[in-house]
Amino acid sequence: MKILEFEVLESTQEKAFEIAKENFEPLTVILAKKQTKGIGRKGDFWFSPEGGLWFSIILPKISPEKIEIFSNLLSFLIAKLIFEETGEKIFIKFPNDIYLNGKKIGGIMVQNKICGKDQISVAGIGINTNVREFPENLKEIATSIFLETKKEIDNRKFLEKLLKEIEKFLKLF
């Protein structure tokens, strides 16, 4: 997998679609240290400051009926890795929300767009790994792995482990 790193992006998801239109290379990862207009489910704003893990993956061609299965699998893989890192019980609110101690710590969004004759699928993933503070309007519903466990996650190592798992499971599709 090829990883394109950025200090700041409006949205890794939008950048991934932009790159996919120019030169579609499956399994390209768009990684940002910070997003200014991160996108959540239903187009909601996703708070994504420095410290978290914000990335999108341009997916290989997957049939539309298998995209939902893949999205659910991503939730499971992320929850599994967080558990392995922290020992904490992780709750998945299907299809795409990840919770720790009753508060949201992550989300997955797989989107499809038609570009010419091709359908492009991009998986956007946001995980509140080392976020230290949340705005008042999010403090009751969101948290980070660090705030809950006082354990700092090495975002790069976590990403690499997750990408290896994703590559393994993509072979099933």
Side-chain angles (χ1 to χ4, degrees):
M1 285 194 196
K2 180 175 167 183
I3 299 175
L4 303 176
E5 288 188 63
F6 298 87
E7 287 295 315
V8 178
L9 285 176
E10 285 189 2
S11 161
T12 61
Q13 197 78 345
E14 292 305 317
K15 187 70 171 175
F17 278 113
E18 186 183 305
I19 288 169
K21 287 178 193 174
E22 293 170 9
N23 185 14
F24 187 158
E25 190 175 329
L27 301 181
T28 296
V29 176
I30 311 306
L31 173 67
K33 288 184 180 174
K34 176 181 179 179
Q35 294 183 110
T36 58
K37 294 182 182 175
I39 302 168
R41 193 173 40 153
K42 300 178 190 169
D44 295 338
F45 173 72
W46 182 270
F47 179 67
S48 35
E50 281 194 46
L53 182 55
W54 326 116
F55 66 100
S56 294
I57 306 169
I58 301 170
L59 299 174
K61 292 189 187 300
I62 299 174
S63 64
E65 60 275 4
K66 291 184 179 175
I67 287 287
E68 186 176 345
I69 295 166
F70 180 74
S71 181
N72 291 341
L73 181 63
L74 275 177
S75 298
F76 172 76
L77 290 176
I78 292 167
K80 175 184 170 282
L81 285 177
I82 294 170
F83 173 76
E84 288 171 358
E85 287 282 325
T86 66
E88 297 287 330
K89 292 181 183 175
I90 306 302
F91 174 76
I92 300 171
K93 180 181 169 193
F94 281 103
N96 63 355
D97 294 334
I98 299 171
Y99 285 78
L100 173 58
N101 297 333
K103 292 183 179 181
K104 191 169 182 176
I105 60 164
I108 295 114
M109 178 174 61
V110 178
Q111 291 180 303
N112 303 301
K113 288 187 179 180
I114 303 297
C115 298
K117 296 180 204 171
D118 294 321
Q119 173 185 303
I120 297 171
S121 300
V122 172
I125 299 169
I127 307 170
N128 300 333
T129 51
N130 303 311
V131 177
R132 300 291 205 264
E133 192 175 341
F134 288 85
E136 280 303 316
N137 64 326
L138 296 178
K139 283 182 178 178
E140 296 298 315
I141 59 172
T143 191
S144 71
I145 294 169
F146 178 80
L147 290 174
E148 295 300 311
T149 67
K150 302 302 181 231
K151 178 175 173 63
E152 185 135 348
I153 300 295
D154 182 324
N155 281 339
R156 187 59 180 226
K157 284 182 182 173
F158 188 92
L159 174 63
E160 288 169 2
K161 284 181 192 175
L162 180 59
L163 294 177
K164 283 180 186 171
E165 292 289 320
I166 290 170
E167 269 188 310
K168 275 194 250 178
F169 282 96
L170 275 172
K171 291 175 184 168
L172 301 173
F173 291 88

